[in-house]
Amino acid sequence: MTRITLDGIAHAYTRQPRSEKDYALRPLHHVWEQGMAYALLGPSGCGKTTLLNIISGLIIPSEGRLLFDDRDVTRLPTEQRNIAQVFQFPVIYDTMTVAENLAFPLRNRKMPAAAITARVAEIAAMLELTADLKRRARGLTADAKQKISLGRGLVRSDVSAVLFDEPLTVIDPALKWELRSKLKAVHRALDLLMIYVTHDQTEALTFADRVVVMNEGQAVQIGTPEELFEKPDHTFVGYFIGSPGMNFLPARVDGNRAYAGGGEIVLGAGYPALSEAVRIGVRPDFVTLTPGAGLKVQVRRVDDFGRKRLAHVSLGGVPLVATIPADMQSVGTEANVSFDAAHVLVYQNEVRVEGIAA
Amino acid sequence: MMDKPTNNRAWFFVLPVLALVLFSSIVPMMTVVNYSVQDSMGVNNFFWNGDAWFRDLLDPTSEIGARFAGALMRTFAFSAAALAVEVPLGIAVALCLPRRGWAVGLSLVVTALPMLIPWNVVGMMWQIFARQDIGLFGAVLTGIGLPYNVTQDPVSAWITIVVIDVWHWTPMVILLSYAGLRAIPDAYYQAARIDGASRWAVFVNIELPKLQKVLVIAVLLRFMQTFMIYTEPVVVTGGGPGNATTFLSIDLVKIAIGQVDVGSAAAMSLVYYIIILTACWIFFTVMTQLDRRRDT
């Protein structure tokens, strides 16, 4: 039962980092609350695995302090940290049975045999591994192996956090959903702090209470899946979350009006005078093709996803993705779009600007 | 033509290989088989002898049978001794070699050096090295009062031959083990740290199981080579003292070339060959089958 605090944690793999570019992880302050499920989301090489390994103690950070509750554990070795970690590729002990695998961390900590058996049975039941307990772990499927890796972490009753490093990478797509809901169920049952590293936004958004979006060694935004979707703080979050990502249009903003691609767009709030590098951002979900009203656009391509249809259009030369309403039958080469004012956001130098009031 | 599912003309392309194998292996081997069932009273005067050579050879009460049984036992003992030292030692050294940096290349080259030296050169080096008067090894041991004498004392001779093979061929076990160790993903070591495993537990539960496949190969190769040992004992001990280090291959040469007892030698070669083949086959099958059975 722990709260984990990152106090200015930063890491560089080179000895003497000279510029910001040398840092795999730039200074980060964050508190991971007990009982929450977090996802670290970002493209490959953004520093998320580095951060995870710092928490588990596999890497000692170059700067900053790591606190478990109020205890400084920055330099404490992994085995004394009460951390469980599940890796990208399932790690199992080949020669052992499933039961022996689960018992291994307890045996290493010299727990009495009877207590080990009871605890292993308990965890196996939770992970639905009971039927396989006597089998050799090596012959099992990847998802069962990954459950064993997780089980070896959970079996320790003193474990304070479970870290996942892209745990579903090698799992069959059909079984991913199942295993992920298993993780959710374990999270609810054990009330543990869980941190889940992934580059798959669906995994992150469905698993976590809070998502930390990372890019180039920085935490760009920390928020609920809804916040990331509705109000991305940074254009990167807008691009990265959502499929396809947010539309960004270079614009001039004047009060509660924006001018982009030769058209006037109504905003949900008023804005102070902004200097250059201003863009407006709007998710494709909040731009719709209309039969008549709205701004005139050229239609370039229509993507039919079955459940929904998206139109790639050009608004005065600026590319834009818009939703096609279900009742609109055919789309010609010309159309009109309307923007949902409440969901049109304003960005200056890639960062979102808060509106003043409508 | 092209729509035939199989085209037998493909066999044509295998012909060169068949011809090569025929002259390099099959013909010489059949000559040996031929000798083993015949007796000769003079040059090119052969007559049928049935399985008499084989019965003689495998009967421990006959003169040749006793000789064969003795040499066979010594050869097995030598293989066992060499493997018992080389495999654990090879693994231990592989575990100590550096994993990254410039030292990797250097230590691998140094490790591999003994393997590049021809057998008879190794034999000559040790023959001199082990001499009591001028050899560093022999003179030092004698100097500190140990009863070391390759030409007189069977124990000294045996130790020397085993040490030579260990010196010459442990590098192969080291290199194979090192490759096997390098192939283990880091996540295994990280998981073991999180699970609180001791260094010994990591070795037993991660490294040794992951090394199993390369070790099967290493043991097979080392068994075959030690079972065929010839040059080193011939150069260093000449098979002595007495016949203490007379292994199968040495005895075979003595019978075939020393005594020109072609029929006996041919029968012996075949039995020798079949023993190596059978031992390797049994070892390999048992190791792979055991492995498969444990999974289910």
Side-chain angles (χ1 to χ4, degrees), chain A residues 162-323:
Chain A
V162 187
L163 313 180
F164 297 92
D165 190 356
E166 310 197 22
L168 301 183
T169 310
V170 293
I171 310 296
D172 219 39
L175 293 169
K176 274 188 186 181
W177 287 97
E178 211 174 294
L179 193 53
R180 197 186 317 148
S181 41
K182 195 80 235 171
L183 296 182
K184 287 284 302 185
V186 166
H187 180 239
R188 277 192 297 271
L190 296 182
D191 191 33
L192 288 168
L193 164 60
M194 288 193 174
I195 304 175
Y196 188 106
V197 161
T198 180
H199 57 245
D200 181 328
Q201 50 168 312
T202 322
E203 266 177 49
L205 300 178
T206 52
F207 176 81
D209 307 318
R210 290 273 185 288
V211 178
V212 180
V213 182
M214 294 189 68
N215 188 32
E216 292 176 347
Q218 300 187 77
V220 184
Q221 185 173 2
I222 300 172
T224 62
E226 194 188 351
E227 283 165 0
L228 298 181
F229 189 78
E230 302 258 328
K231 284 206 166 11
D233 280 344
H234 192 279
T235 51
F236 175 78
V237 180
Y239 282 127
F240 199 71
I241 308 265
S243 171
M246 206 169 194
N247 294 305
F248 288 100
L249 301 87
R252 184 168 62 78
V253 172
D254 183 8
N256 64 349
R257 293 280 188 281
Y259 301 91
E264 184 191 86
I265 297 160
V266 182
L267 302 173
Y271 288 86
L274 299 168
S275 57
E276 61 267 45
V278 173
R279 290 198 284 174
I280 56 167
V282 59
R283 296 237 173 244
D285 310 69
F286 305 116
V287 189
T288 31
L289 254 57
T290 60
L295 300 172
K296 196 167 276 299
V297 291
Q298 278 76 49
V299 178
R300 287 186 176 149
R301 194 177 92 214
V302 171
D303 286 344
D304 192 340
F305 294 94
R307 198 162 38 83
K308 65 174 181 181
R309 286 178 298 160
L310 294 176
H312 292 254
V313 301
S314 159
L315 172 66
V318 184
L320 188 68
V321 183
T323 304

Side-chain angles (χ1 to χ4, degrees), chain A residues 93-94 96 109 136 152, chain B residues 190 194-195 205 210 294:
Chain A
Y93 300 106
D94 284 346
M96 299 185 193
R109 288 171 175 77
R136 279 237 296 178
R152 275 205 320 271
Chain B
Q190 295 175 340
I194 288 166
D195 290 340
N205 297 302
K210 294 273 172 210
R294 272 192 241 126

Side-chain angles (χ1 to χ4, degrees), chain A residues 56-58 78-79 83-85 87 90-96 104-105 108-109 135-136 138-139 152 156, chain B residues 187-188 190-198 201-202 204-206 209-210 212-213 290-292 294-296:
Chain A
S56 63
L58 297 171
T78 303
E79 52 273 24
I83 288 284
Q85 188 164 355
F87 297 90
V91 175
I92 48 136
Y93 300 106
D94 284 346
T95 48
M96 299 185 193
F104 189 62
N108 289 330
R109 288 171 175 77
R135 289 187 60 186
R136 279 237 296 178
R138 197 173 65 174
R152 275 205 320 271
R156 285 153 48 198
Chain B
Y188 279 84
Q190 295 175 340
R193 280 175 65 187
I194 288 166
D195 290 340
S198 62
V202 169
V204 172
N205 297 302
I206 296 174
K210 294 273 172 210
Q212 196 193 347
K213 284 203 175 76
L290 265 187
D291 213 40
R292 221 166 285 153
R294 272 192 241 126
D295 273 353
T296 49

Side-chain angles (χ1 to χ4, degrees), chain B residues 110-131:
Chain B
V110 171
T111 307
L113 275 180
M115 290 196 293
L116 304 180
I117 305 173
W119 286 262
N120 52 352
V121 175
V122 171
M124 274 322 293
M125 280 165 55
W126 279 83
Q127 209 269 339
I128 296 165
F129 197 46
R131 280 178 64 155

Side-chain angles (χ1 to χ4, degrees), chain B residues 223-262:
Chain B
F223 169 74
M224 284 191 286
Q225 286 189 324
T226 52
F227 206 74
M228 296 186 289
I229 182 133
Y230 177 75
T231 317
E232 294 94 325
V234 163
V235 176
V236 178
T237 66
N243 56 6
T245 54
T246 301
F247 300 111
L248 272 183
S249 56
I250 297 176
D251 222 12
L252 184 61
V253 173
K254 278 185 187 166
I255 294 168
I257 295 165
Q259 301 168 213
V260 205
D261 209 342
V262 181

